Amino acid sequence: MRFILVPLLFLSIFSKAQNPYPQDYFRNPLDIPIVLAGTFAELRSNHFHGGLDIKTQQRVGLKVHASASGFVSRIKISHYGYGKALYITHPNGYTSVYGHLQHFNPEIEAYIKKLQYKKESYEVEVFPQAGELPVNQGDIIAYSGNTGGSGGPHLHFEIRDKEEHPINPMLFGFDIKDTSKPIISDLYAYPLGDSSYVNNSTVKQKLRLIPIKSGDYVVENIEAYGDIGFAVGTTDRQDLAANKNGVYNIQTFINGNENFELNFKSFGFDETKYINRLIDYEVYKTKRQRVQKLFVDNNPLSLFDSVINNGVIKIKDSTYSVYKIRVSDYKKNDTWVTLTIKGEKSNSVKFTSPKTTPYYIYANQTTNLKEGRVSVDMYPDTFYDDFYIDFHVDNDTLKLDKDTIPLKKSIKISYDVSNYSDEDKNKLYIAELLGYKNFPAYSSTKRNGNNLYTFTKTLGTYALTMDNEKPIIKPINFKDGQWLSNFRYLKLKIDDDLSGISNYRATVNGKWILMEYDYKTKTLIHDFNDGVVTDTKNNLKVIVTDNVGNSSTFESVFYRK
């Protein structure tokens, strides 16, 4: 018995030593069991998810508690992103983050509204000192909501270290019921060298996954030669939710030896742009599938671990190799993929010449492309690789390749508008044309004399677009001349079909009032509990301006006792 217990004890100690994070320091920020709508480092559009998205039973207004004692060190309110967000710094150096909140507790709410009225702005950010807003573990700090870029009611919860790097909250002992194995949905094989090929093809191949009784997968044998790599599409599900979430760990093995690992424990926000290099960006843009490369493709991500030869498999002629992929969730449920690779040198492979155009991009150099009145400036280290780019201008429409090539930083697109009248110049903006209908999506446009320019991280089609339409303002829950004594809220709808809403301002009897803007529902809401509307007769004035300066004014009279 001793012989058995000692190794078990050693394994237990070793397992704990592997996790340096405190296991009983942070509590569940909600009063309900944790059920996830999103996991840490989950693959999102242009970024890794920085925390856990905790379901709030499709409701708003649930009590949000301080996960540990400390002080409120940051409050940020924005129309997008985390919406209403609260940051608590703890004595052990960690910071917990709570996002998409409906509102704060009375003390914090009064603190932040005082600042909003002082700055006459809904969007504010403040960094309170340590003694201003102290909290104890379990204190109600806010109420859950759906503000900002939230796609539905939930609480976004993070834990960050002293360097502001988010860490997987699961590492701190949060318990989530999960007995389900990850799901493997896609597998691709990539010839990576000039003389490499898979199944007699020099282009990537989608492989057929064959499920077996264990819940794992096998793949039909492939023939290959040279340097090859793989990419996998995978998701995970917890027991109490149907959401397709991200996984925790991916490992690969060649002939029993580990040669690659992707570990979703922590990352830096400055790395998030590299997600578009980790996934096959072309597959995502053309098929809406996120497949993760199982090899390091000129990517400095810190998520890579135990990487041998960049995860690339070298296949020689007349050999057999067994390649395995292990995908795990945090609860160590795992799914395996197994395939056999036959090394076969072939003389029948047709090597195709790469696409060429008159324009070649050197990734480490500055490039300027110009045709007619349109120019594009690309700076060093914008792209991962050298490549030929499509560049064509037709009147005021710029075709800049396709949005299948990821960028690390922004490029500058400029239009010379000297041929337009002064009146028209003020109504022009640069738009990205999206979809088969070429919907014009506003790209933040600035003007310097006769030059309009925008910065973008997306290739594709752009056009000079004109907006002469004023924004729309409509009352939702009141009419002109109405008594609103029993109303808690004043609501209006605002909208702009072309360049979009830039700013808004509301006053009552000439005094600025706070109105919260929800871009998802296109509503402006004032809470009469703010106590700034005190007169019986009130003249409401709302001015809304779009991104090219078109402005609309709404005026109405209402009464309150």
Side-chain angles (χ1 to χ4, degrees), residues 359-370:
Y359 308 100
Y360 192 72
I361 304 298
Y362 291 96
N364 64 347
Q365 297 180 15
T366 297
T367 302
N368 175 264
L369 304 176
K370 182 174 176 58

Side-chain angles (χ1 to χ4, degrees), residues 469-480:
E469 301 295 324
K470 294 182 177 181
I472 297 170
I473 309 173
K474 294 181 179 179
I476 295 177
N477 67 336
F478 69 97
K479 297 179 180 179
D480 187 42

Side-chain angles (χ1 to χ4, degrees), residues 214-245:
S214 65
D216 297 326
Y217 300 84
V218 294
V219 180
E220 291 179 342
N221 295 352
I222 65 171
E223 294 183 355
Y225 180 78
D227 291 349
I228 66 170
F230 294 89
V232 65
T234 180
T235 55
D236 186 46
R237 289 184 177 176
Q238 284 76 47
D239 289 6
L240 302 177
N243 302 74
K244 293 182 179 181
N245 298 137

Side-chain angles (χ1 to χ4, degrees), residues 56-97:
T56 55
Q57 300 175 340
Q58 299 180 340
R59 296 184 290 160
V60 298
L62 274 63
K63 296 175 182 176
V64 178
H65 300 272
S67 195
S69 298
F71 68 94
V72 176
S73 55
R74 182 184 180 192
I75 307 170
K76 184 176 182 180
I77 298 181
S78 57
H79 295 131
Y80 307 98
Y82 290 177
K84 295 184 180 181
L86 198 65
Y87 300 69
I88 298 176
T89 296
H90 307 285
N92 63 355
Y94 294 106
T95 297
S96 55
V97 183

Side-chain angles (χ1 to χ4, degrees), residues 288-546:
R288 310 310 294 178
Q289 300 168 349
R290 290 189 177 97
V291 295
Q292 301 168 70
K293 297 174 186 174
L294 305 180
F295 54 96
V296 181
D297 188 14
N298 186 22
N299 193 339
L301 270 177
S302 64
L303 297 171
F304 297 124
D305 199 5
S306 304
V307 176
I308 306 299
N309 193 35
N310 286 329
V312 176
I313 312 301
K314 291 185 174 293
I315 302 299
K316 297 181 179 179
D317 188 27
S318 304
T319 60
Y320 280 90
S321 302
V322 177
Y323 184 75
K324 288 181 176 285
I325 304 168
R326 180 195 184 202
V327 181
S328 309
D329 60 28
Y330 187 79
K331 289 289 190 175
K332 295 184 172 58
N333 303 299
D334 59 13
T335 303
W336 290 80
V337 178
T338 302
L339 68 150
T340 299
I341 307 169
K342 179 183 178 182
E344 184 77 24
K345 192 170 184 178
S346 173
N347 294 320
S348 61
V349 177
K350 293 182 179 179
F351 290 91
T352 57
S353 300
K355 177 191 78 172
T356 61
T357 73
Y359 308 100
Y360 192 72
I361 304 298
Y362 291 96
N364 64 347
Q365 297 180 15
T366 297
T367 302
N368 175 264
L369 304 176
K370 182 174 176 58
E371 184 176 330
R373 297 181 181 272
V374 183
S375 64
V376 181
D377 294 303
M378 304 174 183
Y379 309 102
D381 202 34
T382 294
F383 298 98
Y384 292 91
D385 305 303
D386 301 342
F387 69 104
Y388 285 98
I389 192 170
D390 286 322
F391 172 74
H392 177 68
V393 176
D394 184 7
N395 294 322
D396 286 333
T397 299
L398 163 67
K399 292 185 178 180
L400 191 61
D401 220 289
K402 297 179 181 178
D403 182 21
T404 56
I405 301 170
L407 282 68
K408 287 189 266 186
K409 60 175 71 169
S410 297
I411 60 175
K412 181 180 180 182
I413 298 174
S414 303
Y415 279 80
D416 177 356
V417 294
S418 57
N419 59 320
Y420 284 87
S421 68
D422 289 340
E423 181 180 358
D424 286 344
K425 289 174 188 175
N426 293 326
K427 304 302 179 183
L428 291 171
Y429 67 96
I430 301 171
E432 181 182 7
L433 303 185
L434 301 177
Y436 69 94
K437 291 186 177 181
N438 285 330
F439 173 80
Y442 175 78
S443 183
S444 182
T445 305
K446 298 185 183 301
R447 180 179 169 188
N448 183 10
N450 287 321
N451 185 52
L452 284 184
Y453 63 93
T454 186
F455 289 93
T456 178
K457 288 185 178 179
T458 306
L459 299 182
T461 303
Y462 291 82
L464 206 55
T465 308
M466 185 169 292
D467 180 3
N468 286 309
E469 301 295 324
K470 294 182 177 181
I472 297 170
I473 309 173
K474 294 181 179 179
I476 295 177
N477 67 336
F478 69 97
K479 297 179 180 179
D480 187 42
Q482 186 173 349
W483 282 88
L484 304 179
S485 300
N486 298 322
F487 283 52
R488 167 76 185 270
Y489 300 104
L490 186 71
K491 299 180 180 181
L492 300 101
K493 179 177 180 179
I494 63 174
D495 195 10
D496 189 83
D497 288 337
L498 293 174
S499 62
I501 302 296
S502 173
N503 58 72
Y504 60 91
R505 180 180 176 83
T507 59
V508 169
N509 298 330
K511 181 188 296 183
W512 184 86
I513 63 169
L514 174 65
M515 298 203 82
E516 298 190 9
Y517 174 49
D518 183 349
Y519 75 93
K520 298 189 291 289
T521 59
K522 302 177 181 179
T523 56
L524 285 178
I525 303 175
H526 172 70
D527 187 348
F528 284 122
N529 283 358
D530 285 359
V532 297
V533 178
T534 57
D535 295 333
T536 300
K537 182 179 180 180
N538 298 280
N539 295 290
L540 171 68
K541 186 175 184 179
V542 180
I543 302 172
V544 180
T545 306
D546 66 19

